[in-house]
Amino acid sequence: MQLKVDITKELRNFTLRARFTMQDEVFALLGASGCGKSMTLKCIAGLATPDSGRIELDGQVLYDSEQGIDLPPQERHIGYLFQSYALFPNMTIRENIRFVAVGTPAEKEAKIESGLRRFHLEELADAYPSELSGGQQQRAALARILAADAKLLLLDEPFSALDNYLTWQLELEMLDVLQAYHGAALFVSHDRGEVYRLADRAAVISRGQMETPRTRQELFHSPGTFAATVLTGCKNVSEARQLDASRIEAVDWQLTLQVEESMPGLRYVGLRAHFLAFCAPGNVTQEEALQMHPVAAAANVQHMQVTRVIEDVFSYLVMVRRADAPEARALRWELPKDDWHRIAAALPADQTLWLYFPPGKLMLMKQ
């Protein structure tokens, strides 16, 4: 199975430009609310019409503005899981599944029973959607989609309407469904964790502009752009400029840092909160701090001051800034509670410490 998308569509505040190709895989579009990711799904499904471009599924042209092709949704062989699930309210769950099931009467019944079993809906088969919880409705909607033998699954924020506990249970079930499904799935989400756990590849969308698709490991390790860095969860981003082949200035943090390679046109630098490393309390010299953290490079062992400590459920979020620069922007440092208790007990009265900024973890961005 192969899906090719190359479309543009004028929206209220920007122009959506989506261009990508996906194979038999789980592909994700990651973006904030209102960025155009759900509209991309609607254009693929035939529920909205692009202004120009082409959409092709498994060799069949679904939309082509130049040729005047625009197949209706029922001819596209696509299963769409809406945020609201869109079950027919006047039909039972069994009837909902039967309505879309394909094949002979015997094959349809087999698909109905298989869907009910797979999603643990046997006892709810004769219930109506209004009698089901949000999680039960989602399972019913998935059973209905799979009964239609769709070539492609489109999942629009599949867990956004569920509470945290139910989200995790449904995510586990979704993993099983996607692994057993022989087609491809495209889902949109604003949740970086969902994207990392579920997707093989992903692309970031920011105000309608789709960035180059990458594997999830590539995207999270080296986002490449400001939008991708923020959307993948990085809390520490500073404007930056290149000083020489091996050093940059993090302008907002007021730090000079060593990097592994230069980047012409550098604009930003980012560092994830859990990559900062403690070297020593601030009442020792930098040389002594380096001896306490032998893998650290002197250029990136910085004298910092704690400005705020926030207790989270399983960790502490410690805000730190350059010790002698009160106007510098603070960075977020996240670490386990036991680690922070041990470190905090050793800090001097001025709450200073030496922290290491690993060069290999600094994310450089041109835009």
Side-chain angles (χ1 to χ4, degrees):
M1 200 296 304
Q2 184 182 70
L3 173 69
K4 295 181 180 180
V5 176
D6 186 357
I7 58 172
T8 63
K9 184 174 178 62
E10 290 289 336
L11 302 180
R12 175 172 295 181
N13 298 317
F14 54 81
T15 300
L16 170 64
R17 293 183 175 89
R19 183 178 184 181
F20 64 96
T21 299
M22 60 178 287
Q23 308 285 341
D24 291 316
E25 60 184 323
V26 180
F27 190 95
L29 302 179
L30 174 63
S33 297
C35 70
K37 57 187 187 296
S38 292
M39 179 57 69
T40 302
L41 293 195
K42 291 177 181 177
C43 289
I44 295 170
L47 302 176
T49 303
D51 295 328
S52 63
R54 179 182 174 92
I55 303 171
E56 182 180 319
L57 177 62
D58 223 9
Q60 181 184 24
V61 177
L62 307 183
Y63 171 81
D64 190 307
S65 57
E66 292 186 358
Q67 299 182 52
I69 298 173
D70 188 10
L71 296 186
Q74 61 270 24
E75 294 182 19
R76 297 195 178 200
H77 307 291
I78 291 174
Y80 197 125
L81 181 65
F82 295 87
Q83 291 184 30
S84 62
Y85 312 133
L87 295 166
F88 299 117
N90 60 331
M91 294 183 183
T92 65
I93 301 309
R94 185 188 302 277
E95 291 168 343
N96 262 277
I97 300 172
R98 181 181 289 115
F99 184 83
V100 302
V102 298
T104 66
E107 289 171 341
K108 289 182 179 182
E109 291 306 312
K111 289 177 180 178
I112 294 169
E113 296 306 318
S114 174
L116 292 172
R117 286 195 305 273
R118 169 182 279 182
F119 294 102
H120 314 293
L121 295 166
E122 298 100 318
E123 296 182 1
L124 300 171
D126 297 317
Y128 289 90
S130 61
E131 302 176 273
L132 273 58
S133 67
Q136 290 167 339
Q137 288 186 42
Q138 187 189 67
R139 296 205 302 268
L142 281 169
R144 185 177 65 176
I145 288 172
L146 295 181
D149 288 348
K151 292 181 180 179
L152 173 68
L153 298 184
L154 302 181
L155 311 173
D156 190 355
E157 298 275 7
F159 309 112
S160 63
L162 307 175
D163 60 53
N164 288 337
Y165 173 76
L166 194 54
T167 292
W168 176 240
Q169 297 302 310
L170 266 292
E171 188 175 312
L172 291 175
E173 293 185 15
M174 184 71 77
L175 277 169
D176 292 337
V177 170
L178 295 176
Q179 289 170 1
Y181 182 59
H182 298 298
L186 171 62
F187 79 97
V188 303
S189 178
H190 63 271
D191 188 307
R192 60 187 173 92
E194 288 176 8
V195 170
Y196 194 87
R197 291 187 294 268
L198 293 173
D200 300 306
R201 289 194 304 143
V204 164
I205 295 185
S206 178
R207 289 187 58 80
Q209 304 304 300
M210 180 179 293
E211 299 184 6
T212 303
R214 283 174 285 171
T215 67
R216 61 185 180 188
Q217 292 86 357
E218 291 171 342
L219 177 61
F220 281 78
H221 180 265
S222 183
T225 67
F226 179 88
T229 300
V230 172
L231 285 167
T232 55
C234 183
K235 302 298 189 294
N236 300 319
V237 180
S238 168
E239 289 191 15
R241 63 186 183 93
Q242 196 83 41
L243 297 177
D244 54 41
S246 62
R247 296 182 309 140
I248 66 168
E249 179 188 2
V251 178
D252 298 320
W253 305 334
Q254 298 189 21
L255 298 174
T256 297
L257 299 169
Q258 181 177 329
V259 293
E260 291 189 333
E261 58 184 18
S262 62
M263 175 179 282
L266 174 69
R267 290 192 60 191
Y268 302 100
V269 61
L271 180 67
R272 299 196 187 278
H274 55 281
F275 285 144
L276 278 166
F278 175 73
C279 293
N283 54 358
V284 303
T285 66
Q286 186 181 44
E287 290 73 18
E288 291 172 321
L290 283 167
Q291 293 175 0
M292 298 179 189
H293 197 298
V295 302
N300 285 25
V301 174
Q302 300 285 341
H303 196 217
M304 309 294 287
Q305 184 174 43
V306 175
T307 63
R308 189 173 186 180
V309 179
I310 303 167
E311 185 176 9
D312 207 343
V313 181
F314 301 111
S315 63
Y316 277 102
L317 310 178
V318 182
M319 303 304 296
V320 296
R321 60 163 171 78
R322 183 176 142 184
D324 59 349
E327 70 281 5
R329 179 184 296 174
L331 293 93
R332 171 167 157 168
W333 176 30
E334 184 169 355
L335 66 167
K337 288 188 174 182
D338 288 345
D339 290 355
W340 173 246
H341 289 155
R342 184 177 65 255
I343 292 168
L347 294 186
D350 63 1
Q351 294 291 287
T352 58
L353 70 171
W354 294 93
L355 290 180
Y356 178 49
F357 292 65
K361 301 300 184 181
L362 293 171
M363 300 180 292
L364 307 182
M365 296 157 266
K366 292 183 179 180
Q367 56 179 326

